[in-house]
Amino acid sequence: MQYNRLGKAGLCVSEISLGSWITFGKQIGGETVKDLMHTAFDHGVNFFDNAESYAHGEAEVLMGKAIREFRREDLVVSTKIFWGGTGPNDTGLSRKHLMEGTKNSLRRLRLDYVDLLYCHRPDPNTPIEETVLAMDALVRDGYAFYWGTSEWSAEQIEAAYQVAEKLNCIKPSMEQPKYNLFHRHHLEKDYVPLFEKYGMGTTIWSPLSSGILSGKYNNGIPSNSRLAKEAWLVPENFMQLVEKAKALEVLADELECKLSQLSIAWCLKNPNVSSVITGATKTEQLLENLDALYVKRKLTPEVMQRIDKIVSPN
């Protein structure tokens, strides 16, 4: 396992991390969560990702129970605030919800602080000054060590940096964007000036494009699969992506690896990716994902060119 700096920050995160979205509290329970976290940790993973909205808070509860079996200093734990409930002040990035939502997340996680705290989405209804000041207060008061954004546009992130500079506030350290072979523009194009200007780190999610890049949908959508249970995740160009996944699987076979490992390894090759967040419901699945570390060595410039040719728009 390699440990990368979170952009220009001093914090080091494992290049592969374990996330809880859609799995913790929805597909797996407490004992499986503990087993997965211990297996991940034993293989070098130190970063575990969560959010207040995952399984309506249950994902944080389950992770919190597992965390008790680790030395806190050995872990990098994150959560994200935006969707906290149905009340008029339970959603968004107001000072009230950021403060209360963070404290509620910490209570569920059984922690005094998280290492990384994200604004889960941009909030057009709250002034950016209010959000930046609230995040600054949360970090200064010790509820989080670093704050960042998730799925914000480059313009919105730039605005946050400028406001933080103007108000003498702690600046965001990281962004958590969707990034995979089928979804590349934000990280590879839009964010480049932010990497150069601010040294922003990234903890990317959906490296397997909701499983399409695992090959499990090459012959249709199984009834017990993620896309069958979460139909809103099925993209409009699903069949086109499946055809590309089939072509990538041929290349993966040549490299003597799984398509999922090839896809994760490809994300790891990007120097602006601090950590690739993976998900798993079984130990075997987790170990398979972790073996992408070895596949990364096989992705020569020639192989990367072949991958680009397969996934490039027709």
Side-chain angles (χ1 to χ4, degrees):
M1 182 69 67
Q2 177 175 313
Y3 298 92
N4 298 325
R5 293 272 299 277
L6 187 67
K8 71 174 184 180
L11 182 71
C12 291
V13 291
S14 51
E15 58 182 332
I16 292 182
S17 44
L18 181 64
S20 56
W21 179 54
I22 296 184
T23 54
F24 288 23
K26 295 193 74 172
Q27 298 183 49
I28 57 176
E31 290 306 312
T32 304
V33 167
K34 289 181 181 179
D35 289 344
L36 287 173
M37 288 186 63
H38 276 284
T39 299
F41 183 79
D42 290 344
H43 285 78
V45 172
N46 75 342
F47 173 35
F48 298 89
D49 180 72
N50 219 313
E52 66 169 348
S53 61
Y54 294 172
H56 305 289
E58 183 63 18
E60 291 178 321
V61 171
L62 292 172
M63 185 176 285
K65 291 178 180 178
I67 285 173
R68 297 174 66 187
E69 300 180 0
F70 295 87
R71 193 176 80 106
R72 178 64 183 93
E73 293 84 350
D74 290 334
L75 306 181
V76 176
V77 180
S78 71
T79 197
K80 299 180 284 292
I81 306 298
F82 192 92
W83 295 285
T86 59
N89 290 307
D90 290 338
T91 299
L93 303 178
S94 68
R95 184 180 182 91
K96 177 177 174 63
H97 180 55
L98 285 171
M99 293 290 184
E100 293 174 344
T102 300
K103 292 179 181 180
N104 287 335
S105 285
L106 291 174
R107 190 176 305 114
R108 290 188 290 268
L109 288 164
R110 305 187 187 191
L111 295 176
D112 296 324
Y113 63 89
V114 287
D115 301 89
L116 309 180
L117 182 63
Y118 294 86
C119 296
H120 206 165
R121 289 294 186 276
D123 182 0
N125 299 313
T126 299
I128 186 64
E129 291 83 0
E130 180 177 342
T131 297
V132 169
L133 283 166
M135 298 303 283
D136 175 81
L138 285 164
V139 175
R140 291 186 190 275
D141 289 345
Y143 296 108
F145 291 154
Y146 306 86
W147 79 272
T149 57
S150 180
E151 290 297 319
W152 284 34
S153 69
E155 293 76 18
Q156 290 163 334
I157 297 172
E158 176 68 34
Y161 275 108
Q162 291 182 358
V163 167
E165 180 73 27
K166 177 182 177 181
L167 299 178
N168 196 29
C169 290
I170 295 170
K171 299 177 180 64
S173 296
M174 67 282 178
E175 157 69 19
Q176 188 170 117
K178 182 179 181 179
Y179 183 62
N180 57 58
L181 279 160
F182 298 149
H183 192 94
R184 304 171 58 174
H185 189 82
H186 263 340
L187 194 141
E188 295 182 2
K189 304 293 183 183
D190 296 344
Y191 292 156
V192 169
L194 300 175
F195 296 136
E196 296 174 349
K197 188 175 181 180
Y198 300 111
M200 182 180 75
T202 61
T203 59
I204 66 101
W205 63 281
S206 195
L208 300 182
S209 189
S210 297
I212 298 174
L213 284 165
S214 71
K216 70 169 67 175
Y217 302 113
N218 285 0
N219 297 308
I221 301 178
S223 59
N224 63 341
S225 65
R226 174 178 294 188
L227 293 187
K229 297 176 181 178
E230 308 282 347
W232 59 277
L233 289 172
V234 180
E236 292 182 4
N237 60 340
F238 173 73
M239 292 309 301
Q240 291 176 302
L241 299 182
V242 167
E243 289 305 310
K244 292 181 179 182
K246 291 178 179 179
L248 288 167
E249 192 162 48
V250 173
L251 176 56
D253 288 341
E254 291 181 28
L255 297 175
E256 299 181 326
C257 68
K258 300 286 189 180
L259 173 57
S260 58
Q261 296 168 337
L262 173 69
S263 302
I264 292 170
W266 178 87
C267 294
L268 292 171
K269 292 287 285 188
N270 191 315
N272 290 315
V273 170
S274 307
S275 186
V276 176
I277 301 172
T278 62
T281 57
K282 300 176 182 178
T283 301
E284 304 80 52
Q285 183 184 13
L286 171 61
L287 293 174
E288 182 177 292
N289 290 340
L290 289 171
D291 278 344
L293 296 171
Y294 305 105
V295 177
K296 182 176 66 169
R297 304 167 187 167
K298 299 181 179 183
L299 301 190
T300 63
E302 292 75 22
V303 171
M304 294 293 280
Q305 288 177 4
R306 290 181 64 186
I307 293 173
D308 279 341
K309 186 174 180 180
I310 292 171
V311 300
S312 295
N314 296 325

